[in-house]
Amino acid sequence: MDCSSKTAIPKGVRVFPPEETALRRWAERQILTIFERWGFQEVITPTFEYLKVFSGDSEGEGGEKIFKFVDRQTGRLLALRYDPTPQVARLAATTLRHRPLPLRLSYMTNVFRYEAPQAGRQRECVQLGVELIGLERPEADAEMVAMVVEGCRALGLQRFQIDVGQIEYVRGLVDALDLEPDRRRALVSAINRKDTLELELLLQGLDADDKSKQAVLDLPTLYGGKEVLARAQDLAPNRRSQEALRNLTQVYEVLEQYGLADQVIIDLGEARAFEYHTGVTFAAFAQGLGSEISRGGRYDDLIGGFGYPCPATGFAFDLDKVLEAVAAEDRPPLVTSQKFLIIDFNPDKRHALRIARLLREQGYSAARDIIKRDLEGSFDYAVASGISRAIVLGLPHLPQDELLVRDLDSGAEERVPVERFCGEVERGERRWPM
């Protein structure tokens, strides 16, 4: 067998070495900590489902992007997890149905989507999200946006914005035109791309009133601050769009109370939403990235499809995009834990074992260098492994009851009696750096 066929991996998936994995775990902890602080409890959903759980998204980006296969036992179509939200919605409608509302549920999970191979597109990615179930008030939507902002700040991001829209405002305008399905899809696509020329071509010759057509043509311009809401009010030709605008205005007013108005951009020309979204939608964008790092919105009808009518809203961070944003701002995360390599040249390893145990009990990372090599070789290994400090025992010039602590970044060294060092570590009195 050709060795290359064994070492290759499928397109659209990645393997992460230790350094990248550590960065991903750091970002996950920042986001999950925000979820916990806002009162959300984590749940786990299946990696694969019956296809019908995900296949309702025929109008959006579903369908051909779902990985499908056949259950050999039942012959039914299964699918890899495409979107966690329907899974959490079903959980709320079944297992958690009799819990008091609202439900605050969070998740961190792998998502699988068939993407054409190209730069930046992965077929397997990690999403970290929340679902707030049982609240229909504008405060619930505002809470979701506020959590996204807090999550971005926890990641150290400074150059980001949240675009907020109302999908029912767009649907009200588009439905008023009474288009056949193909033309409707083309129109929605043009709205998403803010392609005013294509919008004009698609609206030509339509048997619809001029105000309705003009309202659609103006959608790409409805982007900015609070003044956009007043402009949109004058353009809305029907009750559905007007009610959606009133709802968005209420959400924006709550965001003002949060002090987040400067972080929020109104985008009423935003039509990129899952089929199940029913109200306010939003996305977080970081400077320098062409796609969002987080997306969410209201979905009041989805849980009803599982037999339990209940309003809900939520959002998710895309971990890969989050890390791209962190890298783009060139703000490496602060290292919050120390790593030690214990190098022991003594035949009797009891001191080394005790030191390793005490360091680990205090929350430090402590590895023993149990390969026979010279001291410089051990130091080189530690540096290559991202270990910041070495503890050395059994050197010829050291008494048996002393150890050497070396800072591998600065080269600074300190000789310490073993018993004093162990006592300071055990009592939490040892301070780093030296």
Side-chain angles (χ1 to χ4, degrees), residues 238-390:
N238 57 62
R239 179 176 295 179
R240 184 177 184 181
S241 294
Q242 290 169 354
E243 289 179 351
L245 192 60
R246 279 194 291 272
N247 170 253
L248 180 57
T249 301
Q250 292 172 331
V251 173
Y252 188 84
E253 288 171 350
V254 178
L255 290 171
E256 286 182 311
Q257 295 173 21
Y258 272 108
L260 299 178
D262 291 342
Q263 213 81 57
V264 170
I265 300 293
I266 301 295
D267 185 4
L268 280 168
E270 174 58 70
R272 287 182 300 168
F274 283 109
E275 185 186 52
Y276 54 69
H277 281 131
T278 59
V280 167
T281 60
F282 52 91
F285 293 88
Q287 187 172 319
L289 268 67
S291 57
E292 67 269 11
I293 63 174
S294 178
R295 176 170 287 277
R298 178 159 288 279
Y299 54 95
D300 285 347
D301 299 334
L302 180 62
I303 302 177
F306 296 101
Y308 182 42
C310 193
T313 182
F315 71 88
F317 281 101
D318 182 316
L319 184 60
D320 289 327
K321 297 301 181 184
V322 161
L323 292 172
E324 286 182 39
V326 171
E329 291 210 5
D330 196 24
R331 298 175 186 273
L334 295 175
V335 177
T336 57
S337 63
Q338 297 289 343
K339 297 181 180 180
F340 294 87
L341 181 67
I342 301 170
I343 306 163
D344 186 10
F345 295 102
N346 290 316
D348 187 337
K349 305 299 182 185
R350 280 177 290 185
H351 282 326
L353 292 170
R354 180 187 177 194
I355 291 166
R357 174 179 58 80
L358 291 173
L359 286 169
R360 291 168 190 151
E361 287 176 353
Q362 292 298 319
Y364 298 111
S365 170
R368 289 182 54 238
D369 194 33
I370 56 178
I371 294 177
K372 288 186 176 180
R373 54 185 158 199
D374 61 26
L375 185 59
E376 288 303 317
S378 294
F379 286 164
D380 290 343
Y381 167 80
V383 171
S385 301
I387 297 173
S388 56
R389 285 184 172 78

Side-chain angles (χ1 to χ4, degrees), residues 152-168:
C152 290
R153 290 173 176 168
L155 292 160
L157 299 178
Q158 295 188 350
R159 302 188 296 271
F160 66 92
Q161 70 181 44
I162 315 296
D163 289 7
V164 180
Q166 229 290 0
I167 191 62
E168 290 301 307

Side-chain angles (χ1 to χ4, degrees), residues 109 177 186 364 419:
T109 193
L177 300 176
Y364 298 111
E419 286 302 321

